Amino acid sequence: MRSSLVYSAGSAIKNRFLLASIVIRAVRVHHVNSTRTEDTANQAFSDVSEGRYASAVLPDPVPPPLIEPLLITPA
């Protein structure tokens, strides 16, 4: 079942956004047109749970720039 694959991959990579990004990239790289996409996704989740892609990390968040208030002078 895919839910068990997602759960086991989630134990390797705690951040769900990072997990989804890694699996999507792996599916795009390893998919062969003559096979089902579901099988490729299952294999990618298995690979993540085995630790093949677990070294990925998210970059540090950068705060957005400050917005200067617009000062309107009377005419």
Side-chain angles (χ1 to χ4, degrees):
M1 296 296 274
R2 177 144 335 130
S3 59
S4 63
L5 292 173
V6 172
Y7 181 76
S8 62
S11 64
I13 299 175
K14 301 294 184 194
N15 187 318
R16 288 184 280 175
F17 177 77
L18 181 60
L19 174 64
S21 298
I22 289 172
V23 170
I24 288 169
R25 286 183 185 177
V27 168
R28 286 181 181 163
V29 169
H30 298 295
H31 182 65
V32 178
N33 287 335
S34 62
T35 62
R36 296 182 334 150
T37 307
E38 295 87 353
D39 295 336
T40 308
N42 290 343
Q43 184 62 45
F45 278 117
S46 296
D47 291 346
V48 168
S49 65
E50 292 172 2
R52 294 192 185 142
Y53 298 106
S55 62
V57 293
L58 281 175
D60 292 332
V62 177
L66 295 175
I67 299 174
E68 296 293 327
L70 180 63
L71 299 176
I72 300 175
T73 58

